[in-house]
Amino acid sequence: MSILVRDVDILQVNGTPMIRSGEIAVENNQITAVGPAGCAPKGFKPQIEINGKGLVATPGLINCHTHAAMSLFRGYADDLPLMEWLNNKIWPIEEKLTEEDIYWGTMLACLEMIRSGTTTFADMYFHMNQVARAVGDAGMRASLCRGLIGVAPNGEEALTWSHGFAREFHGSANGRITVMLGPHAPYTCPPDYLRLVRDAAVELGVGVHIHLAETRSEITQTAEEHGCTPVQLVEQTGLFEIPVLAAHCVHLSDEDISILTRYGVRVVHNPQSNMKLGSGTAPVVKLLAAGITVGLGTDGVASNNDLDMVEEMRSAAFLQKVTHEDPTVLPAEQALSMATVNGARALGLEDGIGTLEVGKKADIVLWDMHKPHLHPMYDVAAHLVYSAHGSDARTVIVDGRVLMRDYEVLVLDEEAVMAESERRARRLVAEVG
Ligand code: NI
């Protein structure tokens, strides 16, 4: 598909100033021109022409940590202590999930993400072949891993399954799907198991996605059982020698931060999940100062309760400001970078996505700035982070394909996705009683 977006303000998120009334040309799945009006090649005849007046183009937002199918559990169990929430609510209902439930839960999540300007997500769940099917159908980009529980009776079998999944799906859907291995957390995956995961990741040439240092109880438990912190425990297994995406990293010592820095571990900050579950405040300012790549994620809907990355940017900025009692920390532009270019780095996809530049994949969001809550406008990044809503995403392009145009989702039957996922969510809740 060839596309020309003209008369559009462009935030490339590569450190350059905003381009006013510029244009973006897309051929096949790549950006072939981006710059001032007239930059598209002479004689370029696009199949789709989009008038960008009143719109701002940014790279698609990247949700670096979620469990998409948990959108079926939106609002099912709120305001509970973490272990009670998991033991009495989330784990019992997850037991009842069928493969088709996961497909429809992921479709609901994809629909919500497209509608709020997210083009890529990193997912850890199970029945990942169904998640891959949904990603394919929705036209999104995703980094997928099956959550591995080393202490479970099927721990090794799940790792073998992940091997096959990586071989089959890594680079599939025209390269939109990439695969990682997903050891759930150090407290569910003992050191010997993490060593097996490391060996498998080396063999497959893929990275690892793990929950790390999320709650204070994880820190206490690891200290009691192993006499060290979760970060130190993982370091001993050699897992950090491969690319690691570590979700949460809320409770870190200075020594932990040096370890993460030394190995180039990428961190995903999940401010709304950390706030809702009362987990604590991640030391994001310290991590950024140490030069660590920090992306942003929503975590699953059951602990958020939505997939709106615009809110996540705002929460990330506000949470650091209130914690440090300093309004200058984590400014808007940095929050926007975390949701785009740094997110791409966190997923190891920086060569393809994260900025609007020639040669990058065409993952583009056009934000509708003609709204009361966005007038007047002085600084676009500040508006996107502090004033906008995910629902201000007007047109969304992924891999050169228009998934939503002028608020109309073109790739999915929106009513059918909502009706089917609603029906399945109600059945699941009825089953657990
Ligand atoms: Ni999570």
Side-chain angles (χ1 to χ4, degrees), residues 65 67 211 248 299:
H65 177 72
H67 315 280
H211 294 89
H248 299 295
D299 210 351

Side-chain angles (χ1 to χ4, degrees), residues 76-211:
Y76 163 63
D78 296 314
D79 309 325
L80 294 171
L82 179 67
M83 288 327 286
E84 189 183 330
W85 178 75
L86 283 173
N87 284 321
N88 301 342
K89 290 290 186 175
I90 296 302
W91 287 338
I93 201 165
E94 280 187 336
E95 287 270 300
K96 306 283 182 192
L97 281 170
T98 66
E99 293 202 17
E100 279 296 300
D101 291 336
I102 286 181
Y103 171 78
W104 286 100
T106 308
M107 287 294 269
L108 181 66
C110 287
L111 184 56
E112 184 186 354
M113 287 191 270
I114 292 168
R115 280 217 164 275
S116 51
T118 292
T119 54
T120 299
F121 66 103
D123 201 62
M124 180 194 290
Y125 216 51
F126 44 101
H127 295 312
M128 295 309 290
N129 46 338
Q130 295 302 322
V131 178
R133 183 181 143 215
V135 170
D137 289 351
M140 290 189 70
R141 194 180 297 283
S143 168
L144 307 180
C145 66
R146 171 173 175 172
L148 300 168
I149 309 287
V151 292
N154 69 346
E156 295 211 12
E157 187 190 315
L159 183 54
T160 307
W161 186 93
S162 289
H163 237 271
F165 178 71
R167 289 233 159 85
E168 187 176 348
F169 286 96
H170 191 52
S172 68
N174 198 31
R176 286 186 287 114
I177 293 177
T178 47
V179 173
M180 293 199 210
L181 295 181
H184 168 262
Y187 60 91
T188 53
C189 297
D192 281 345
Y193 188 80
L194 289 179
R195 288 187 187 96
L196 293 178
V197 171
R198 177 203 59 195
D199 294 346
V202 169
E203 192 190 327
L204 290 162
V206 300
V208 160
H209 184 170
I210 189 169
H211 294 89

Side-chain angles (χ1 to χ4, degrees), residues 394-410:
R394 183 184 179 102
T395 293
V396 172
I397 300 167
V398 175
D399 212 37
R401 180 178 177 207
V402 182
L403 306 189
M404 177 168 78
R405 181 154 188 193
D406 296 332
Y407 301 111
E408 188 193 345
V409 178
L410 305 175

Side-chain angles (χ1 to χ4, degrees), residues 110-410:
C110 287
L111 184 56
E112 184 186 354
M113 287 191 270
I114 292 168
R115 280 217 164 275
S116 51
T118 292
T119 54
T120 299
F121 66 103
D123 201 62
M124 180 194 290
Y125 216 51
F126 44 101
H127 295 312
M128 295 309 290
N129 46 338
Q130 295 302 322
V131 178
R133 183 181 143 215
V135 170
D137 289 351
M140 290 189 70
R141 194 180 297 283
S143 168
L144 307 180
C145 66
R146 171 173 175 172
L148 300 168
I149 309 287
V151 292
N154 69 346
E156 295 211 12
E157 187 190 315
L159 183 54
T160 307
W161 186 93
S162 289
H163 237 271
F165 178 71
R167 289 233 159 85
E168 187 176 348
F169 286 96
H170 191 52
S172 68
N174 198 31
R176 286 186 287 114
I177 293 177
T178 47
V179 173
M180 293 199 210
L181 295 181
H184 168 262
Y187 60 91
T188 53
C189 297
D192 281 345
Y193 188 80
L194 289 179
R195 288 187 187 96
L196 293 178
V197 171
R198 177 203 59 195
D199 294 346
V202 169
E203 192 190 327
L204 290 162
V206 300
V208 160
H209 184 170
I210 189 169
H211 294 89
L212 189 60
E214 179 175 359
T215 61
R216 209 172 284 285
S217 66
E218 178 183 344
I219 306 299
T220 313
Q221 188 191 332
T222 311
E224 280 167 8
E225 287 173 17
H226 302 278
C228 62
T229 68
V231 170
Q232 288 159 359
L233 183 66
V234 174
E235 186 200 13
Q236 289 162 20
T237 67
L239 195 76
F240 290 151
E241 286 152 25
I242 56 171
V244 169
L245 177 69
H248 299 295
C249 295
V250 173
H251 299 282
L252 299 174
S253 67
D254 287 346
E255 166 66 14
D256 290 339
I257 294 177
S258 333
I259 293 170
L260 297 177
T261 311
R262 196 177 324 135
Y263 289 96
V265 174
R266 303 94 183 251
V267 170
V268 188
H269 177 41
N270 301 272
Q272 293 203 338
S273 170
N274 296 159
M275 289 194 283
K276 184 156 185 282
L277 295 176
S279 303
T281 308
V284 173
V285 169
K286 267 192 180 178
L287 293 170
L288 291 168
I292 291 173
T293 295
V294 185
L296 280 182
T298 56
D299 210 351
V301 153
S303 61
N304 188 298
N305 288 359
D306 61 37
L307 298 168
D308 186 336
M309 284 291 290
V310 173
E311 276 183 17
E312 218 61 44
M313 291 194 284
R314 189 175 307 155
S315 296
F318 284 2
L319 186 54
Q320 293 303 308
K321 291 174 196 301
V322 72
T323 303
H324 290 262
E325 296 185 28
D326 179 356
T328 68
V329 300
L330 223 168
E333 214 169 298
Q334 198 163 29
L336 182 61
S337 292
M338 288 167 75
T340 52
V341 62
N342 290 355
R345 276 189 204 119
L347 303 187
L349 299 176
E350 66 271 27
D351 291 342
I353 58 170
T355 61
L356 297 183
E357 293 176 296
V358 171
K360 288 270 174 102
K361 307 285 186 209
D363 289 10
I364 305 166
V365 178
L366 303 178
W367 301 93
D368 193 343
M369 306 311 273
H370 193 55
K371 302 264 182 92
H373 62 279
L374 298 170
H375 278 283
M377 184 165 72
Y378 307 105
D379 180 310
V380 173
H383 261 29
L384 287 173
V385 174
Y386 299 137
S387 309
H389 307 300
S391 55
D392 297 325
R394 183 184 179 102
T395 293
V396 172
I397 300 167
V398 175
D399 212 37
R401 180 178 177 207
V402 182
L403 306 189
M404 177 168 78
R405 181 154 188 193
D406 296 332
Y407 301 111
E408 188 193 345
V409 178
L410 305 175

Side-chain angles (χ1 to χ4, degrees), residues 76 88-89 92-93 96 425-433:
Y76 163 63
N88 301 342
K89 290 290 186 175
I93 201 165
K96 306 283 182 192
R426 290 192 184 277
R427 188 207 82 230
L428 286 160
V429 170
E431 274 180 30
V432 289

